Amino acid sequence: MLLEVFESNAPARALYEHGGFRPITRLVGYDARQPEARPADLREIDPTEFARHMGPADPGPLPWQLQASSLAAPSATARCFTLEDKSFVYVSALSETSLTIRGVLTLREHRRQGWATRLLGGLAARFPGRALTVPQLIPEHLGAEFFAARGFSRGPLALLEMELPLEG
């Protein structure tokens, strides 16, 4: 059984730990208040296409919100974009002031070639004046260098993903 709890919520953490839950992953978020906009030829795709690429990408253990099965059942506000079918972004919400990014994925054979940077720049150009926000869904060890190098700052709150093994 899995759950997430804000790391700063000591009473809730104590309750869950007393019930046998143990922290397994720290989840963090990122914000870019004024992202660098660079026009790029983004193509909008169905969110299920993003989900289809997650399994083979194998980024390691992910929280349930980033697993392919969750991404394949998108909310009505979800929009996804690709840059030449090499890099993908999943936008879970779009407002007048910000875009909420649920995931960024570059196919393994195209990583470290600037595709995700161009993709995020293209997203900022397509939706000018909006901040890019990544909620606390990203495992702490995954993406910190990537987001920092692109002008994102780490959000002030973190979640702990906690696990309770079920016997059986």
Side-chain angles (χ1 to χ4, degrees):
M1 186 178 303
L2 295 172
L3 63 81
E4 290 96 26
V5 62
F6 282 103
E7 184 176 44
S8 59
N9 188 343
R13 285 179 52 200
L15 175 70
Y16 296 133
E17 288 172 357
H18 181 73
F21 282 88
R22 296 291 172 247
I24 56 172
T25 308
R26 188 167 190 254
L27 304 173
V28 297
Y30 299 93
D31 295 294
R33 294 290 166 217
Q34 296 179 324
E36 185 177 344
R38 291 186 176 175
D41 190 20
L42 301 184
R43 180 174 58 88
E44 191 159 0
I45 59 171
D46 188 282
T48 57
E49 188 173 339
F50 183 99
R52 187 173 52 83
H53 289 291
M54 280 300 288
D58 189 27
L62 294 172
W64 68 268
Q65 301 96 323
L66 296 180
Q67 292 177 9
S69 57
S70 294
L71 296 169
S75 69
T77 60
R79 295 179 71 184
C80 293
F81 301 89
T82 184
L83 183 58
E84 295 187 28
D85 293 324
K86 296 176 181 173
S87 194
F88 305 83
V89 63
Y90 191 112
V91 176
S92 59
L94 173 65
S95 75
E96 292 296 318
T97 59
S98 68
L99 279 88
T100 303
I101 296 174
R102 190 164 167 185
V104 177
L105 172 68
T106 299
L107 300 180
R108 184 180 311 276
E109 61 272 19
H110 302 292
R111 291 183 187 156
R112 301 201 179 275
Q113 298 173 19
W115 288 102
T117 299
R118 291 191 295 278
L119 176 72
L120 291 176
L123 193 63
R126 187 171 187 147
F127 300 100
R130 292 179 172 104
L132 301 182
T133 301
V134 180
Q136 302 91 351
L137 296 175
I138 310 298
E140 186 174 41
H141 68 279
L142 186 66
E145 290 178 25
F146 170 81
F147 286 112
R150 280 136 198 97
F152 284 74
S153 58
R154 192 148 147 182
L157 297 175
L159 289 174
L160 290 178
E161 185 176 43
M162 300 182 80
E163 175 183 62
L164 175 65
L166 298 177
E167 310 235 355

